[in-house]
Amino acid sequence: MKRLLIYILITACLFFVIDRLLGLGLKQLYRMSNATDEYKISYSNETTEAPILFFGSSRCLHHYVPSIFKDSLGKECFNTADWGIKNIYYHYGLLGNILTRYTPQTIVFEIHPCDWLETPFSGTERATSLAPYCGKSDECDDMLRLSGKLWAYRLSMVYRYTGSLPNMLLGKYGAMDRSLKGWKPMDGVMDTTGVKAEEYPFPMSKERTELLEKFITKCKEHNIRLILAVSPMYICSEKNVFSYPRQLAAKHHLTFFDYYRDSAFVGHSNLFYDYGHLNRLGAERYSQTICKELKAILSD
């Protein structure tokens, strides 16, 4: 029995040492990766100190051009957004991690229905993209706990990087141009055949709305100017899809940039890559448009 216990102890120690050594190697590969997810997440969590940050999912990733804002506002900007239907579980954890390093002056949050509705394919699992930063902040760990993976990530450093292995091994898959400061342009013009408005027939999520409130509170506590935004869609629902964020902005006295139905973009296929994402030209025009509003607000 004594030998068995010693054997188990030695095995556990070896597991711990090997896991940590491999984990440190994967951590370096993760930081070096130029794949979209790994670069965006590592740079957002570890490096950027830009006074103006853009938060959101793929629509933010493709729509906000930091260079346009920098040229007009004279301040560094970084687009922290990532694709994969990232939602408030991810955004709240990311905000917590960023605040352990520095405090941005302004956050423009491109809000999406997955941030307050029980949308499919976008639940607590979206927080697991922050696995490499387990332990960095209470907010991040809270989101990983909700995903059900916190203790597994604490136990194994290697496990934190398993979801990123394909991207890290394939190298340039989804490569980012780092000079674009987090923006990923979409080149091409959409095919309008059979395009329909995206509908959201899903119930409100109490958990997600509470996290949105916490996100807003966290920004207020750190004197961060938070702006909620909705960029254009090629075709819009007849329903009042964004009534909740509009009410949320009014409740907390936040600026709300609502361009969902903007006639300068809606129906103009030459400005869209697909029905929900602006192409390069559309993103540049949209960024120029809201940059004027943002400049007026920041100079107030």
Side-chain angles (χ1 to χ4, degrees):
M1 184 64 179
K2 186 177 180 180
R3 281 186 176 182
L4 178 61
L5 290 175
I6 293 173
Y7 176 77
I8 292 173
L9 181 61
I10 292 172
T11 302
C13 289
L14 284 173
F15 167 82
F16 180 83
V17 171
I18 293 172
D19 176 79
R20 261 39 188 183
L21 289 174
L22 288 174
L24 289 172
L26 290 173
K27 183 177 182 178
Q28 287 303 112
L29 283 176
Y30 188 89
R31 286 173 169 174
M32 293 166 56
S33 176
N34 211 38
T36 302
D37 287 343
E38 288 66 36
Y39 162 63
K40 292 301 297 290
I41 295 170
S42 63
Y43 196 89
S44 298
N45 279 277
E46 299 183 46
T47 307
T48 186
E49 292 187 354
I52 300 175
L53 297 178
F54 300 96
F55 270 63
S57 189
S58 62
R59 280 167 45 77
C60 183
L61 171 67
H62 301 306
H63 294 183
Y64 294 80
V65 187
S67 62
I68 290 176
F69 291 89
K70 180 183 177 181
D71 290 344
S72 176
L73 304 175
K75 296 184 178 183
E76 286 291 338
C77 305
F78 187 75
N79 188 327
T80 72
D82 194 19
W83 49 21
I85 323 179
K86 295 294 191 295
N87 59 19
I88 190 59
Y89 297 107
Y90 174 83
H91 306 319
Y92 185 66
L94 174 61
L95 177 64
N97 286 349
I98 288 172
L99 290 175
T100 64
R101 296 190 300 105
Y102 87 108
T103 302
Q105 296 172 8
T106 303
I107 289 177
V108 178
F109 184 177
E110 167 76 23
I111 199 163
H112 187 278
C114 69
D115 293 315
W116 71 88
L117 299 179
E118 294 282 0
T119 52
F121 314 114
S122 182
T124 57
E125 75 282 353
R126 297 304 164 190
T128 61
S129 294
L130 295 169
Y133 300 98
C134 173
K136 189 171 179 65
S137 72
D138 290 341
E139 293 80 9
C140 179
D141 284 359
D142 286 345
M143 298 304 98
L144 294 178
R145 186 178 293 106
L146 285 176
S147 77
K149 298 289 187 71
L150 177 62
W151 290 106
Y153 293 142
R154 284 185 173 174
L155 178 65
S156 172
M157 195 169 177
V158 169
Y159 186 51
R160 301 175 191 180
Y161 297 95
T162 53
S164 298
L165 279 175
N167 284 351
M168 290 192 289
L169 295 177
L170 291 173
K172 292 186 177 180
Y173 174 72
M176 291 288 296
D177 180 348
R178 296 192 177 212
S179 69
L180 298 180
K181 302 295 183 181
W183 174 49
K184 193 173 182 68
M186 304 282 275
D187 290 311
V189 176
M190 68 176 292
D191 179 0
T192 61
T193 305
V195 175
K196 296 180 180 179
E198 189 169 17
E199 303 293 349
Y200 298 93
F202 311 109
M204 294 281 285
S205 166
K206 183 174 183 292
E207 186 172 73
R208 299 187 201 199
T209 55
E210 288 176 350
L211 283 174
L212 276 171
E213 294 277 356
K214 286 184 177 181
F215 189 102
I216 293 170
T217 299
K218 188 69 64 176
C219 287
K220 287 184 176 180
E221 289 173 349
H222 288 79
N223 295 316
I224 299 169
R225 185 189 295 272
L226 176 62
I227 296 169
L228 301 184
V230 179
S231 51
M233 297 276 280
Y234 172 72
I235 185 170
C236 303
S237 169
E238 293 182 2
K239 298 178 181 178
N240 197 358
V241 177
F242 292 96
S243 59
Y244 173 72
R246 190 176 295 107
Q247 293 167 9
L248 192 65
K251 174 183 175 182
H252 292 281
H253 308 289
L254 304 175
T255 299
F256 182 39
F257 293 156
D258 186 359
Y259 282 82
Y260 178 60
R261 302 179 187 276
D262 192 281
S263 59
F265 296 90
V266 174
H268 295 268
S269 60
N270 64 308
L271 300 178
F272 286 83
Y273 179 82
D274 58 32
Y275 73 92
H277 299 94
L278 296 166
N279 59 21
R280 184 187 294 265
L281 175 61
E284 289 172 345
R285 288 190 184 178
Y286 171 66
S287 293
Q288 289 165 355
T289 299
I290 70 163
C291 189
K292 294 175 183 177
E293 286 202 62
L294 186 57
K295 187 174 184 178
I297 291 170
L298 297 185
S299 62
D300 185 1

